[in-house]
Amino acid sequence: MPKTVWLLVIGMAVNMTGASFLWPLNSIYIHDHLGKSLFIAGLVLMLNNFTSVIGSLLGGYLHDKIGGYRSVILGGLISAAALAGLTWNHAWPDYVFFLGAIGLGSGMIGPAILAMAGAAWKGGGRKAFNAIYVANNIGVALGAALGGVIASYSIDLIFAANLALFLVFMAIAIFGYRNIAEKHAGYAGAAAASAKRAGRAQVASLILLCFAYFLAWTAYTQWTATISTYTQTLHISLNKYSFLWTLNGAIIVLGQPLLLPFLKRFLPEVKQQIVVGTAIFMLSFAVVAFAGHFPGFLVAMGILTVGEMLVWPAVPAVANTLSPKGREGFYQGIINSVATCGRMIGPVVGGFVADAFGMKALFGLLIIFLAISLLLALLYDRPLVEKSHSGATGK
């Protein structure tokens, strides 16, 4: 892996570690310390996701206009200012404003990092995006574990710790990412000036891919929403539920030495990885639908994680290949925002269906969603194939 990609990976791991101090505790802090209802807490988190969607689109657009380095720094400055404000004052309603600003700034960083990774390792295929994906998961695991320890002393320290680690990320970005931007300026900056609109085939393929990605995330996010509540009704302890996510992170990190050789031999095409991964998602929800005890959830989580390892890094890789030269950041911004929309809307849809019709009906609906996602994954490149065929026949 190129040194430049290592810098991006390390930066994202540090950034996500700091962010993971805070996000698991948001609902608890809003409800228990600020005295607001869980409904209000849900609205605040939805606002955070919404500003992250806006930030993803803005960050991708700015990457193509002013370059990845400037986009990361601008998003970083917004997040750093908001984190400083949150550390200084985390009372109501300032908490809402600062959390929204953090969503905007962090949303801007993600697409720029992904686009820079794709530019820095053009021949790497999904490897660059897989490295960023693994870095995110390492950060989430470390941040969640360390955040619990820090919060046990004082929850107020969480905000300062988040800010401190984000400043470390900013130092890495300021001193490390400028060289990445300069080295690949012809790929992202100068190319943007000459880039025109993407062809209809690329846009159509991206739209199909986005719908597939959205449905997959809508289903996946139930594990942190409705399924977490469902486990409590089955008298599965919170410690056991938390262990499911420990297993998720462990498989993702420890499974990497086996993953890439497996993909190279059995699933060499990125499209194959998305299709097979989505089918594995369906199997996971079929298992959890009949799981009445903890071992069933353990098996379902293991299956889900394998699907996640195939799909999540592959979709940004496809978006990178679909994007015309100079529009890489914008395409990554769209993909990022679609994932965030799935995470934002998924709990609302899942909660409504579970309350109105029960968990069995929800699992059936999720399998239908994933079946549609699978169909779209099979068809997303059809416009490109038709365009290639038309060009070959001169039509």
Side-chain angles (χ1 to χ4, degrees), residues 3 37 47 119 155 161 172 182 190 203 206 209 239 244 254 256 281 291 300 318 323 338 364 392:
K3 179 182 176 181
S37 68
L47 171 66
I155 199 165
I172 294 172
E182 290 173 351
V203 172
L206 181 68
L209 182 68
N239 283 340
L244 294 176
L254 299 179
Q256 292 306 309
F281 277 156
V318 172
S323 61
V338 166

Side-chain angles (χ1 to χ4, degrees), residues 23-274:
W23 68 259
L25 299 174
N26 270 321
S27 292
I28 296 173
Y29 186 79
I30 294 169
H31 181 262
D32 294 349
H33 294 264
L34 298 180
K36 304 301 176 182
S37 68
L38 288 175
F39 174 73
I40 294 297
L43 289 179
V44 173
L45 297 183
M46 184 174 287
L47 171 66
N48 175 257
N49 280 318
F50 176 74
T51 57
S52 182
V53 170
I54 300 301
S56 292
L57 294 173
L58 180 60
Y61 172 81
L62 289 175
H63 172 277
D64 299 334
K65 291 297 182 181
I66 63 175
Y69 175 75
R70 291 186 179 90
S71 300
V72 170
I73 297 305
L74 179 58
L77 289 175
I78 293 172
S79 292
L83 285 168
L86 196 62
T87 302
W88 173 63
N89 180 13
H90 34 268
W92 188 268
D94 304 81
Y95 192 91
V96 180
F97 171 78
F98 289 131
L99 205 63
I102 290 169
L104 178 67
S106 62
M108 292 173 63
I109 293 171
I113 293 286
L114 287 169
M116 290 169 73
W121 197 3
K122 297 179 187 179
R126 65 164 267 160
K127 293 178 184 177
F129 303 98
N130 190 70
I132 299 296
Y133 162 74
V134 173
N136 281 334
N137 280 279
I138 291 173
V140 168
L142 286 175
L146 294 174
V149 174
I150 295 170
S152 66
Y153 288 98
S154 171
I155 199 165
D156 291 338
L157 292 176
I158 288 291
F159 306 107
N162 190 353
L163 174 61
L165 269 185
F166 193 80
L167 292 177
V168 174
F169 163 74
M170 285 296 292
I172 294 172
I174 291 171
F175 296 107
Y177 295 174
R178 182 188 295 274
N179 293 331
I180 298 176
E182 290 173 351
K183 185 176 180 180
H184 302 283
Y187 184 76
S194 61
K196 303 298 181 182
R197 294 180 182 176
R200 291 181 180 179
Q202 286 98 322
V203 172
S205 292
L206 181 68
I207 290 172
L208 292 174
L209 182 68
C210 284
F211 274 115
Y213 199 40
F214 171 77
L215 290 171
W217 264 110
T218 299
Y220 181 91
T221 196
Q222 301 309 316
W223 275 90
T224 59
T226 52
I227 292 177
S228 64
T229 304
Y230 179 55
T231 60
Q232 302 306 294
T233 66
L234 298 176
H235 307 292
I236 295 173
S237 68
L238 285 175
N239 283 340
K240 287 184 175 180
Y241 173 74
S242 298
F243 179 76
L244 294 176
W245 291 106
T246 303
L247 174 68
N248 174 268
I251 293 175
I252 289 171
V253 176
L254 299 179
Q256 292 306 309
L258 302 175
L259 177 65
L260 294 179
F262 174 83
L263 295 180
K264 186 176 181 180
R265 181 172 181 179
F266 297 105
L267 299 173
E269 297 182 8
V270 179
K271 178 182 176 180
Q272 295 173 336
Q273 297 162 22
I274 297 175

Side-chain angles (χ1 to χ4, degrees), residues 18 60 67 88 137 145 149 156 213 220 271 276 281 297-298 301 306 311 328 335 348 374 393:
W88 173 63
N137 280 279
V149 174
D156 291 338
Y213 199 40
Y220 181 91
K271 178 182 176 180
V276 172
F281 277 156
F297 287 89
L298 203 64
M301 174 57 82
V306 174
V311 177
E328 300 83 8
I335 289 295
V348 178
L374 178 62
T393 57

